[in-house]
Amino acid sequence: MKFILFVSALIAACTASSLEFVAVPSSLKLPETDATIKTTKISTLNENILGLSARQVDGFQVSIDLFSRPRALAVVSVIGTDNLNLGGSTYSTKSDGVETVGFEQDMALIFGADRESVQVSAGGITGSRLALSAKQEVVDASVIKTQRATLRSELEAVYQLAAAIKTAGIQMDNNADVFRVTITGLVGITDESQKQEAVADVKDAIQALTAAINNSYGGQAVVELLTFDAETGSAEITSENREIPSDSHNIQKRDVSIGAFKDALNSARKGFQVTVPVSSDYPAIFAIFLGLVVILVIALIYIVVGMASIDPEKDSIIYRMTTTRMKKD
């Protein structure tokens, strides 16, 4: 938890930042590159992209096909550089903290536990079943050239996640999976050659993760890259010297305990009268049954009207059914 608060405080103190869409599906239309967005509004943007909300971000309007929503979202936060230039659409941002709690609550409420949610940081890989699989993956660490211990551990975790996504194969369900990666190992690198080497390693790791996600989700995935230019004069961040700045009272990141989150989730389910998370196949099942009922009702009305409009003549079926024959001796 201290590490999360530290990262949030570091992001809030950054002087320059940018948002780059490394990969987007063809159904998503982004605004012009001169648009600007606050970092606290990125969660609202992602809710709209995934179909969780109809709210748009002022000054950053996006449009997407309602019937072709992305099935995966990856948010990579890199602290220590202002831009990585991976070839995607890049936008300037205003760093005013991060906000993810509301987004995660909405995802849990709508999709339940039947989805993948993975977080990668210097503390390791955490999250759903895919996170457990990623921890078991063995990757070739020789592709990482930098000698920074923190950065190496973070990039190894990214490669492990990419390998786990490849192993899982093509994802065909309708759930929206979320991957969050935080890289802080660039902070404190003052030597220019070491910085270039480290940045190259970060780029390679992000591109490997992007390729794995795109292949697994058939191009129906959004990969966002958030870069923050932090102070470069500090020492390398380790678990022993992570301190929470005293002026971080304006951080937008909130801590919600597991018990409080469960209470909020249960109260929301009670309000919507949903005791069990709705299956991802529910919309299709509902549409099938609704269509069947409508067709049967229309057919019944057609039959009743047709029968009522028949003229009861001698050659009609009604005449034959209603006319009684006289008995013969």
Side-chain angles (χ1 to χ4, degrees):
M1 188 61 224
K2 288 184 177 180
F3 176 71
I4 294 176
L5 289 175
F6 172 80
V7 172
S8 301
L10 192 59
I11 290 175
C14 292
T15 57
S17 61
S18 64
L19 169 65
E20 181 177 355
F21 287 87
V22 182
V24 294
S26 58
S27 58
L28 176 61
K29 304 302 180 183
L30 299 173
E32 299 295 331
T33 55
D34 58 350
T36 303
I37 185 173
K38 293 182 178 180
T39 55
T40 52
K41 296 297 183 181
I42 292 179
S43 290
T44 304
L45 172 66
N46 291 334
E47 288 179 358
N48 180 266
I49 291 176
L50 294 180
L52 305 180
S53 171
R55 291 180 300 171
Q56 291 273 5
V57 178
D58 294 337
F60 203 92
Q61 303 289 324
V62 298
S63 61
I64 188 167
D65 185 359
L66 295 176
F67 301 98
S68 182
R69 293 280 182 177
R71 294 187 290 112
L73 169 68
V75 181
V76 183
S77 301
V78 180
I79 304 175
T81 181
D82 59 346
N83 201 338
L84 289 180
N85 293 321
L86 292 179
S89 300
T90 304
Y91 304 88
S92 61
T93 61
K94 297 179 181 179
S95 301
D96 58 347
V98 290
E99 172 60 67
T100 60
V101 174
F103 176 82
E104 294 296 337
Q105 287 179 343
D106 292 341
M107 291 290 295
L109 179 62
I110 295 176
F111 296 104
D114 192 20
R115 67 186 180 94
E116 298 293 350
S117 178
V118 182
Q119 298 80 39
V120 177
S121 65
I125 306 174
T126 58
S128 58
R129 291 169 296 182
L130 187 62
L132 300 178
S133 301
K135 291 181 180 180
Q136 307 301 322
E137 293 288 342
V138 178
V139 297
D140 183 12
S142 63
V143 298
I144 305 175
K145 306 302 181 183
T146 182
Q147 300 302 316
R148 304 281 289 190
T150 303
L151 184 57
R152 287 188 66 89
S153 64
E154 291 173 340
L155 296 184
E156 285 180 12
V158 173
Y159 281 113
Q160 285 180 310
L161 176 58
I165 294 174
K166 283 183 179 180
T167 303
I170 298 176
Q171 303 297 316
M172 300 300 295
D173 53 32
N174 293 323
N175 295 326
D177 299 334
V178 178
F179 308 96
R180 294 190 180 276
V181 178
T182 303
I183 299 176
T184 61
L186 293 177
V187 178
I189 302 180
T190 56
D191 184 83
E192 188 62 28
S193 60
Q194 293 182 3
K195 185 68 173 288
Q196 293 179 358
E197 182 181 60
V199 168
D201 286 337
V202 172
K203 287 184 177 181
D204 292 341
I206 295 175
Q207 289 173 343
L209 178 62
T210 302
I213 293 176
N214 270 335
N215 292 335
S216 182
Y217 293 91
Q220 288 299 109
V222 177
V223 179
E224 300 173 354
L225 173 61
L226 271 168
T227 55
F228 302 91
D229 187 14
E231 296 293 335
T232 58
S234 58
E236 181 178 0
I237 305 170
T238 62
S239 58
E240 290 79 11
N241 61 13
R242 290 180 185 132
E243 298 293 339
I244 309 302
S246 59
D247 59 346
S248 60
H249 61 278
N250 61 342
I251 301 173
Q252 301 294 326
K253 181 75 175 180
R254 295 171 293 172
D255 179 21
V256 178
S257 63
I258 297 178
F261 173 72
K262 288 184 177 179
D263 292 340
L265 184 60
N266 291 332
S267 62
R269 287 178 179 173
K270 184 177 180 180
F272 289 103
Q273 298 182 352
V274 178
T275 57
V276 179
V278 178
S279 171
S280 60
D281 296 329
Y282 178 80
I285 296 173
F286 177 81
I288 292 173
F289 276 93
L290 178 62
L292 182 61
V293 169
V294 171
I295 291 174
L296 291 177
V297 170
I298 294 175
L300 180 61
I301 294 174
Y302 180 80
I303 293 172
V304 171
V305 172
M307 293 289 291
S309 61
I310 293 178
D311 187 14
E313 296 178 352
K314 290 184 178 182
D315 60 345
S316 69
I317 186 173
I318 297 179
Y319 180 83
R320 295 191 185 99
M321 293 176 61
T322 56
T323 303
T324 58
R325 294 182 180 179
M326 297 179 64
K327 294 182 178 181
K328 297 181 179 180
D329 294 335

